[in-house]
Amino acid sequence: MNWLKLLNPNRLGQSTNTNQSSARSFFEQDYDRIIFSHPFRRLQDKTQVVPLPEEDFVHTRLTHSLEVSSVGRSLGKKVGESIVDKYQELKESGFSSFDFGAIVAAASLAHDIGNPPFGHSGEDAISAFFKNTPLGKWIQSQVSVEEWEDLINFEGNAQGFRLFNRPDNQGIKLTYSTLAAFSKYPRTAHLFEKDSSRKSQKKYGFFQAEKQYFEELANELGLIRLSNEMSWVRHPLTFLVEAADDICYHVIDLEDGCRLGWVPYEQARDLLANVLGDSYLPEKLEKTKGKNEKIAYLRALCINKLINECAEVFMENEDDILSGKFDSALMSKVPSKRVLSNIIEVSIQKIYRSHLVLETEVVGHRVLEGLLEEFLGAAIAQKGIEESSKKDLTVFRLLPETYQELITDTASLYEISLLCIDYISGMTDRYAINLYRKLKGISLPGMK
């Protein structure tokens, strides 16, 4: 792969992009398109770690995404400076470190945009519905093997790619480079051969419904195809997007746990101090008043150090990244990896497995499976596949008009399933719970 081809400002379906403003590059326009989009706005009320947080300092998917984007921009610019200095043709073509920063910032901003309510447990709930319910099992007999793999292995990354490329959603079309940097797992769900040693093969990044879009961008960018199947190596900047996310959840989840009292201050302080190593200055820390402020100060120093370490690892492996040989998380190669492993162990024990988190995950399963049963059953009934009842018609009319029209116009049961998933996965946590309660008769409209 080569950088001149990898930095492509064109958008899907466009051969050239000629309307660039002197004030904003096409890659900066990507950032603006994402931040003003409805799916991004809904991240404000989607679980990051602590479900339905009442405390204003606990992160939601929205604040997490903004912070990942900030870290991603710094990482992109730092790496971009080295790459532009290394390749004279990039300078001659007008590219700068700011282009690298803009691509990584935009892709990082969008990295969680396809996540359903209740985080990863929401993904599991959608998959479990198709695997375990009578309606889900019946659908299996009506779709292809490849389509079935999409439904029983629901993936937020693929859902995000779908949001950007649905034919009826023209407002969030991104450049090839940003879309590719966003795609951490550039393959379909169904593969006959998987290489477990490659991090990019761990999950999948696009549904069968959007496979032609990914193939188009892969060809335009010159991504290396791994086999005759729908599988490619990552765009190099994807490693920076992944690193930005890893840096934030390693450090900031620990900060949240400390603020909530789930992780003792002294333990959090010592873990972050170990990341800093010789850069840790306890006498300077003591000048900061308040435990929360001290942890925030250490968090800022740790993020800066990890940005520098990840940038160094990227440049050390740049040749192998461009050839497709390197396929590991940058954070797994940094000097601080041992300490980061200790942080994750503490976070799993004291944050991710707290009773509040576990209880809400159980609720999430019940809510999402219940909503899928109601809406997917009603949508299928309107296609005449099953006898439609008055109840089904009423539930169907609760769908937004756009979805009603698309479901009525399409003949594919697979696409109907994806459209219902689009609607439900796009909900906020609170909206999903409230709607479930109403559909199940637990509460009436207008009741709290």
Side-chain angles (χ1 to χ4, degrees), residues 379-397:
I380 291 172
Q382 302 319 301
K383 293 296 295 181
I385 299 173
E386 293 183 348
E387 184 179 352
S388 178
S389 65
K390 288 186 177 180
K391 180 203 169 189
D392 285 331
L393 182 58
T394 302
V395 172
F396 181 74
R397 287 171 174 166

Side-chain angles (χ1 to χ4, degrees), residues 63-132:
T63 48
H64 168 72
S65 297
L66 290 167
E67 290 170 344
V68 173
S69 182
S70 177
V71 172
R73 178 181 286 107
S74 298
L75 259 174
K77 288 175 68 176
K78 192 168 189 65
V79 166
E81 287 177 359
S82 299
I83 291 175
V84 171
D85 285 343
K86 182 176 179 180
Y87 299 98
Q88 182 63 31
E89 60 266 28
L90 288 177
K91 287 182 182 178
E92 293 172 353
S93 298
F95 289 108
S96 73
S97 63
F98 290 93
D99 293 306
F100 287 81
I103 293 169
V104 179
S108 298
L109 188 71
H111 82 282
D112 273 347
I113 206 165
N115 279 31
F118 311 107
H120 293 300
S121 64
E123 293 177 309
D124 294 338
I126 293 171
S127 301
F129 171 83
F130 288 97
K131 289 178 184 176
N132 303 325

Side-chain angles (χ1 to χ4, degrees), residues 343-354:
I343 289 177
I344 286 298
E345 287 181 14
V346 171
S347 296
I348 289 172
Q349 294 169 5
K350 299 190 176 181
I351 302 173
Y352 307 145
R353 292 179 184 167
S354 69

